[in-house]
Amino acid sequence: MIILLRSVLLSPMIIGIGSDLIDTRRIQRTLDRFGDRFVQRVFTPVEREKSDRRANRAESYARRYAAKEACAKALGTGLNRGVFWRDIGVVNLPGGKPTIQLTGGAAERLAALTPPGMRAQIDVSLTDEPPLAQAIVIITALPTG
C-alpha cells in the first residue's frame, strides 16, 4: 500500500497555470514615453538584447511582458510578495523554444510550490496577432527519479 501511495504522490502534476494578453500598442506607448527607464526596470539583460535586435521591438517586448505576467499568475503571487519583474526572464533554448528562467523571489516561490522529491518544469507559449500578444505559462512538478 505504501508503494502505491508513493507512486500516486510522485506523479506529474500541474502546480500553476497563468495567461496574459496585452495590446502591443500599450507597450509601444510606454517605450515612447519612458524608453530605457521602462526597459531597464522590467526586462533582464538577455530579454533586452533579444528584443532590441528585433525589427518589431515593441511586439517582442510585449510577448515577454505577457510571459512575465502569466508566470507571476502561475506562481500564485502576481508581481508582489517578493516577486519582481526581473526575477522572471524569458530565455530561448538552443533550438529557439522559449522558456522562463527564475531568480530571486520568483525562484524562492517556485521552490516553495514544488513538492519534495519533485522538480519544476516551466512551459511557456508565446504568440502575437498584432496588436495583441499572448502568453500561457504552465508549471508542472515532475518526479526527480
Side-chain angles (χ1 to χ4, degrees):
M1 186 71 154
I2 293 174
I3 293 172
L4 178 60
L5 182 59
R6 178 177 165 82
S7 173
V8 171
L9 290 176
L10 294 180
S11 296
M13 65 177 160
I14 293 175
I15 56 176
I17 298 175
S19 69
D20 194 65
L21 182 69
I22 188 165
D23 188 325
T24 59
R25 297 170 294 192
R26 177 178 162 215
I27 295 297
Q28 184 62 62
R29 286 191 303 270
T30 304
L31 287 168
D32 292 343
R33 183 170 179 195
F34 298 106
D36 200 44
R37 195 170 74 189
F38 165 68
V39 170
Q40 294 284 333
R41 180 175 164 256
V42 174
F43 299 97
T44 67
V46 170
E47 291 172 311
R48 292 191 306 261
E49 181 182 329
K50 184 134 184 123
S51 293
D52 287 341
R53 289 192 319 241
R54 301 280 186 210
N56 293 320
R57 181 175 178 241
E59 290 173 10
S60 180
Y61 276 123
R63 285 188 301 272
R64 284 160 176 73
Y65 188 94
K68 290 169 178 286
E69 287 273 10
C71 186
K73 291 172 185 175
L75 289 170
T77 60
L79 289 158
N80 60 48
R81 293 197 290 176
V83 176
F84 300 100
W85 288 108
R86 288 182 310 219
D87 290 345
I88 303 168
V90 179
V91 296
N92 293 86
L93 299 175
K97 178 183 174 183
T99 189
I100 305 270
Q101 182 176 25
L102 301 180
T103 59
E108 291 171 14
R109 174 67 179 160
L110 181 61
L113 286 174
T114 307
M118 302 189 92
R119 65 176 176 82
Q121 174 178 298
I122 302 174
D123 292 296
V124 60
S125 177
L126 304 174
T127 191
D128 62 59
E129 181 62 40
L132 301 175
Q134 180 183 25
I136 298 171
V137 171
I138 301 173
I139 303 173
T140 309
L142 303 169
T144 55

